[in-house]
Amino acid sequence: MAILEVIKAGNPVLKQVAKPVKKVDSRLRRLMDDMAETMYKADGVGLAAPQIGQSIRLVVIDVGEGLLELINPVIIKREGKVTDSEGCLSVPGIFGDVERAERVTVEYTTRFNKRRALEADGLLARCIQHECDHLDGTLFIDIAASLRQEAPGERENG
Ligand code: ZN
């Protein structure tokens, strides 16, 4: 496995609409392994493929409940509204309050090429929305109500 470089805001790859993953193969699984390792090393809770320079629809997430790998994720249901603080590994040192759906259902393909659906709330729901935004070229700083410098105890989350 390998630690990958996390692309920072200002790089055009982060503004692109990522392309669907066409084939779930050993190359893609290796990329997911590297993305997970990179996310853990950076103390993040999520990482989207465009953040490591690959404009494809793939994200990894771990909010402390185990590793989730979402290939071609599509949020099919959103319920409720909640505003909370967010950060991003591609925007180091900046945090902002972002309104998100409180609960989401996401459909995705697994590394074993099975289509699944997952219902999530809390931090996981927020993280899924943040990472799926990356696949459409949207950063949290584009939609945050307010931005601020890092405060003690806050951490970059995805
Ligand atoms: Zn992010």
Side-chain angles (χ1 to χ4, degrees):
M1 295 213 280
I3 305 290
L4 306 169
E5 186 197 347
V6 178
I7 305 277
K8 300 298 188 294
N11 187 308
V13 71
L14 292 175
K15 303 306 291 178
Q16 287 171 16
V17 176
K19 295 204 163 53
V21 172
K22 288 208 178 80
K23 203 168 141 204
V24 181
D25 57 11
S26 58
R27 198 173 139 265
L28 189 84
R29 286 189 280 270
R30 196 151 54 236
L31 178 66
M32 288 191 282
D33 290 343
D34 289 346
M35 283 174 60
E37 194 179 9
T38 301
M39 171 182 73
Y40 289 126
K41 172 90 171 150
D43 199 22
V45 295
L47 190 67
Q51 292 181 276
I52 47 94
Q54 300 275 337
S55 191
I56 56 173
R57 304 190 80 82
L58 166 65
V59 310
V60 296
I61 290 170
D62 190 341
V63 297
E65 301 168 2
L67 179 63
L68 264 179
E69 301 164 321
L70 310 181
I71 301 164
N72 296 332
V74 179
I75 295 172
I76 57 166
K77 195 172 171 191
R78 296 169 192 264
E79 289 177 288
K81 291 269 177 243
V82 61
T83 298
D84 207 344
S85 177
E86 270 180 46
C88 180
L89 295 175
S90 293
V91 193
I94 303 291
F95 289 82
D97 289 330
V98 182
E99 185 184 271
R100 300 281 189 191
E102 198 174 357
R103 284 177 303 283
V104 298
T105 302
V106 62
E107 273 187 7
Y108 64 99
T109 298
T110 70
R111 67 159 55 214
F112 306 110
N113 209 19
K114 299 272 190 268
R115 200 71 181 160
R116 293 274 185 264
L118 172 73
E119 269 185 56
D121 59 12
L123 178 58
L124 181 57
R126 175 165 297 276
C127 194
I128 288 168
Q129 293 170 82
H130 177 115
E131 301 309 330
C132 287
D133 271 2
H134 273 299
L135 305 182
D136 291 326
T138 299
L139 299 176
F140 86 98
I141 51 175
D142 300 330
I143 57 171
S146 60
L147 294 172
R148 62 186 179 279
Q149 299 288 314
E150 184 169 11
E154 280 187 307
R155 64 181 229 190
E156 291 144 23
N157 60 22

